[in-house]
């Protein structure tokens, strides 16, 4: 009741559509029902990314960006930072920490302001990427020519980009990868 979100012409590319958010009270955010692909939960994602466009003359800047998942705050700005330049699309990215492992949820996103007027577009969840380095703690790993060097002897598995195992060694401190 404290704002509206309408899909309408993008302010810089009228042939494309974006969510236009207009608020009349603080904490009025864009609310979206999200269902992830089968087998995925929110803990599989590390960040949220989106583009924001601030309408000139509105009270959008130096306000708090807020993100909620199922009414639980997962992000809020410290202080009142500049959110973006007026009349320019800006990409924002925030970490998703301490989220529940839900496959579907309500996502609330936006600037907490009593006089907001801005657009959101390209809202994306960014999946976590595994480095494949498990349990290395104080180990140092480096390459010299075609040799992988480990400061502590350990078990090593190297996979190609298709996920196929190409090298598996146990209790080694170097691995020749020249082949």
């Amino acid at each position: 009741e404290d704002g509206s979100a309408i899909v309408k012409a993008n302010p810089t590319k009228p042939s494309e559509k974006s969510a236009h958010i207009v608020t009349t009270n603080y904490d009025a955010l864009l609310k979206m029902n999200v269902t992830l692909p089968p087998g995925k939960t929110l803990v599989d994602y590390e960040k949220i990314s989106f583009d924001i466009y601030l309408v000139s003359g509105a009270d959008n800047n130096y306000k708090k960006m807020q993100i909620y998942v199922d009414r639980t705050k997962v992000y809020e700005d410290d202080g009142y930072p500049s959110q973006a330049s007026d009349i320019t699309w800006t990409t924002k990215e925030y970490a998703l920490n301490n989220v529940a492992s839900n496959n579907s949820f309500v996502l609330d996103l936006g600037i907490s302001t009593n006089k907001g007027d801005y657009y959101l577009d390209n809202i994306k969840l960014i999946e976590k990427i595994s480095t494949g380095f498990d349990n290395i703690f104080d180990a140092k790993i480096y390459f010299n020519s075609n040799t992988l060097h480990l400061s502590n002897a350990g078990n090593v598995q190297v996979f190609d980009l298709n996920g196929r195992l190409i090298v598996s060694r146990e209790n080694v401190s170097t691995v020749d990868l020249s082949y």
Side-chain angles (χ1 to χ4, degrees), residues 18-52:
S18 300
H20 183 206
I21 292 88
V22 177
T23 63
T24 58
N25 202 356
Y26 294 96
D27 302 328
L29 310 172
L30 175 63
K31 183 182 296 274
M32 298 170 281
N33 293 314
V34 178
T35 300
L36 298 173
K40 294 287 185 183
T41 66
L42 193 53
V43 296
D44 294 321
Y45 299 86
E46 67 178 335
K47 298 176 190 173
I48 186 168
S49 170
F50 55 89
D51 297 333
I52 189 166

Side-chain angles (χ1 to χ4, degrees), residues 42 67-69 72-76 95-100 107:
L42 193 53
I67 303 170
Y68 290 80
V69 172
T72 299
K73 187 184 300 180
V74 296
Y75 181 82
E76 180 178 66
L96 292 173
N97 298 318
N98 304 316
V99 293
L107 176 67

